[in-house]
Amino acid sequence: MSITREKLVDAYTTMVKIRTFEEHAAQLFAEGKIPGFVHLYVGEEAVAAGVCATLRDSDYITSTHRGHGHLISKGGDVKRMMAELFGKRTGYCKGKGGSMHIADMNLGIMGANGIVGGGPPLAVGAGFACKYLGRDDVAVCFFGDGAANQGTTHEGMNLASCWKLPVVFVNENNCYGISCSVDRATCVTDIADKAAAFDMPAVTVDGNDLMAVYEAASEAVERARRGAGPTLIECKTYRQRGHFEGDPAEYRSPEEVAEWKAKDPIPRLEKKLLEMGVLTEARIQEIRAGVLAEVEEAVRFAEESPLPDPSEVTEDVYA
Amino acid sequence: MATMTFADALNDAHRIEMRRDPNVFVVGEDVGIYGGIFGVTKGLLEEFGEMRVRDTPITESAFVGCAVGAAAAGLRPVAELMFVDFVGVCLDQLYNQGAKMRYMFGGKAQIPMVLRASCGAGIGAAAQHSQCLEAWFMHVPGLKVVMPSTPADAKGLLISAIRDNNPVVFLEHKILYATEGEVPEGEYTVPLGKADVKRKGEDVTVVATAAMVPKALAAADALAAEGISVEVLDPRTLLPLDEEAILASVKKTHRLVVVHEAVKFAGPGGEIAAMVAEKAFDYLDAPILRVAAPFSPVPFSPPLEQAFIPSEERISQAVREVVGA
């Protein structure tokens, strides 16, 4: 399915928003304003934006520890996200979750996840609920190349395939699980090959090409919606920054990083959209300025928001 | 009232809740065609069909996680873990995902699921099919932990667990499945977090769980002949623990023995004893004693297994000790 011009502009805007959010998060982390760990999505924006462009609010996603891009693409509010990164009471989780646990159940965002491979069984459950309730909604499971070797991922894919559940497994192969390169972590060249064990259709796409991701995802989502079962999409991409902010990432060469930066998904899409006449330079500047204002407003909101009261520590444990 | 077994009482609870609420479904290994390895889900497939009674491959992470995800998306799953010993292969989905989602998400998720599991020794099932691991679950904020000892409690507590909006670990001692008792008909519920005094007494409180309850009652009968009046209290729910009921009993009897089949060290009895020591120390006339399994894996050979499981005689000995008899 080819993407409409309107969706292209939306996806481009989403990608710019993710990048801007992440660049601000990096700076704020470096300044000591964000506690804990942050894992940034810089360089992988086309995956989340392309996949989520095929979804609606009632569809579900499960995310990863590198989740900001998924949340923004699924419609998450950057103000509440940034406030959560700051550990503020106005954050998505009232400061109880932080970067690795942001969720918005009203948008089907079943949470970022601190456990590599934690999400696939949950996505299977959400997909099962859709089928059980007779809804034509789907569950998308984002997972990394690291999670591709976890037992939970294989168990989840097996069950989704056995039960023909409306689940789309989106593998973000960003080449590294912290320092362990994908060629040292698995013996297959394409993670998509793993789907053969489950008789599941699979495809490998250039994860830095928004249109390629969108096309694969729309086919998989359509297949899931009509009850034909799950699909695995492997998106080959690259984590431009370290595993976490502060990781010197000495396990990879400057040449490799430079090579991938040259394939950065945002300038690539921008160039294409200019060529297609979907965007003009003026419109690009307008979009970038709008996104910057939105993210700056989010930072202001986060900075000005109150911290949680210590008395809240035991609230929200039980329903 | 009808007389039924512990297993049939659990089956009855499933049927009542599945008839009442279309979002309740059962998932696990051999729960459908086989009817559950201990027969608890027998006949559910025939009555409710394949969509609601889901046989799964032997992939505990997949089906426990499926239950968590489905609960987050609005269903009310009852997952059966054939033996609680298998929780090690799927623990993450229970304790890092299901138990924590509500808190991590700032109260914005609800995980109304039950994870049922058989537990306990006594049938020669050896070290990987016989454990009592309730203390593990008691250590996880976000979970509730239920451990019934009678058919009526099993039914009433399971209905309450299914209706609860939190993940509930429901532990069924396998030696109890065939035991019979009077069970109220229809929508009978026992509230979570409420203990039950199974026998009133004056001289010593015995807090016992699961298969230790009938043993404690038998010990109490025998001790009555020696002139010792034993109160037997079954917490029924270990998390949340009915501290009030335990404290009220101890304040009356001034002596406490805690009995469980889990190993003694860092077992549930440690928590109960510490709670009483913190909140009712001045009422105690004797040290608190625990009767529990020794610190070993569960052995296979019958004499070893019987040496492992706390006996009626060991309970009686502990009671005599605290009353100074």
Side-chain angles (χ1 to χ4, degrees), chain A residues 107-309:
Chain A
L107 291 170
I109 301 170
M110 293 179 63
N113 206 311
I115 305 297
V116 171
L122 303 175
V124 167
F128 176 73
C130 294
K131 182 169 177 155
Y132 186 96
L133 295 168
R135 292 161 46 181
D136 69 345
D137 294 320
V138 305
V140 169
C141 172
F142 290 102
F143 67 109
D145 49 287
N149 302 311
Q150 283 278 43
T152 46
T153 305
H154 290 255
E155 288 191 24
M157 289 199 282
N158 180 63
L159 198 58
S161 195
C162 278
W163 290 0
K164 279 205 175 331
L165 297 180
V167 182
V168 178
F169 294 92
V170 177
N171 179 251
E172 295 175 322
N173 181 351
N174 68 15
C175 303
Y176 288 88
I178 308 188
S179 68
C180 188
S181 58
V182 69
D183 59 329
R184 292 196 296 144
T186 184
C187 295
V188 295
T189 306
D190 294 324
I191 285 168
D193 289 352
K194 294 175 191 277
F198 313 108
D199 194 27
M200 188 191 298
V203 60
T204 297
V205 299
D206 178 347
N208 284 13
D209 179 349
L210 182 275
M211 295 193 200
V213 173
Y214 179 87
E215 268 176 43
S218 50
E219 195 177 315
V221 167
E222 189 274 327
R223 184 169 181 272
R225 286 205 203 287
R226 68 178 148 86
T231 304
L232 170 60
I233 302 170
E234 177 192 10
C235 302
K236 288 194 193 285
T237 182
Y238 197 73
R239 152 164 61 78
Q240 290 187 11
R241 303 185 68 90
H243 167 66
F244 51 86
E245 285 308 285
D247 171 14
E250 285 165 352
Y251 41 82
R252 52 193 201 180
S253 70
E255 294 75 22
E256 181 186 292
V257 177
E259 190 188 313
W260 275 96
K261 279 189 174 169
K263 295 190 274 191
D264 189 310
I266 294 177
R268 219 169 128 182
L269 181 63
E270 215 170 82
K271 186 163 172 276
K272 204 164 202 172
L273 297 186
L274 284 168
E275 280 167 13
M276 289 167 71
V278 172
L279 287 180
T280 59
E281 282 293 350
R283 182 80 181 108
I284 286 171
Q285 291 318 313
E286 200 185 327
I287 289 169
R288 287 185 172 273
V291 162
L292 183 63
E294 190 183 349
V295 172
E296 283 177 344
E297 171 56 24
V299 174
R300 196 158 37 243
F301 173 76
E303 284 182 325
E304 288 169 3
S305 288
L307 285 162
D309 188 87

Side-chain angles (χ1 to χ4, degrees), chain A residues 60 80 84 91-94 96-98 100-106 109-115 117-133 135 151-152 155-156 158-159 162-163 165 312-319, chain B residues 21-25 27 51-52 54-75 89 92-93 96-99 101-111 140-144 164-167 239-240:
Chain A
Y60 294 97
R80 291 161 76 198
E84 190 58 35
Y92 256 118
C93 315
K94 305 186 209 167
K96 291 199 170 91
M100 280 190 286
H101 304 297
I102 298 175
D104 187 338
M105 300 305 285
N106 296 325
I109 301 170
M110 293 179 63
N113 206 311
I115 305 297
L122 303 175
V124 167
F128 176 73
C130 294
K131 182 169 177 155
Y132 186 96
L133 295 168
R135 292 161 46 181
T152 46
E155 288 191 24
N158 180 63
L159 198 58
C162 278
W163 290 0
L165 297 180
E312 292 161 32
V313 67
T314 54
E315 286 175 10
D316 301 317
V317 180
Y318 290 98
Chain B
D21 183 350
N23 285 345
V24 176
F25 74 99
V27 62
M51 183 55 91
R52 300 185 65 192
R54 310 290 298 179
D55 273 327
T56 71
I58 303 171
T59 51
E60 286 85 3
S61 285
F63 79 74
V64 172
C66 174
V68 175
L75 300 185
V89 296
D92 183 69
Q93 292 297 318
N96 266 331
Q97 311 297 337
M101 280 167 87
R102 181 174 183 80
Y103 188 81
M104 293 190 299
F105 302 170
K108 295 192 194 77
Q110 190 160 290
I111 312 295
V140 180
L143 294 180
K144 291 190 178 182
D164 198 274
N165 287 329
N166 298 284
L239 178 61

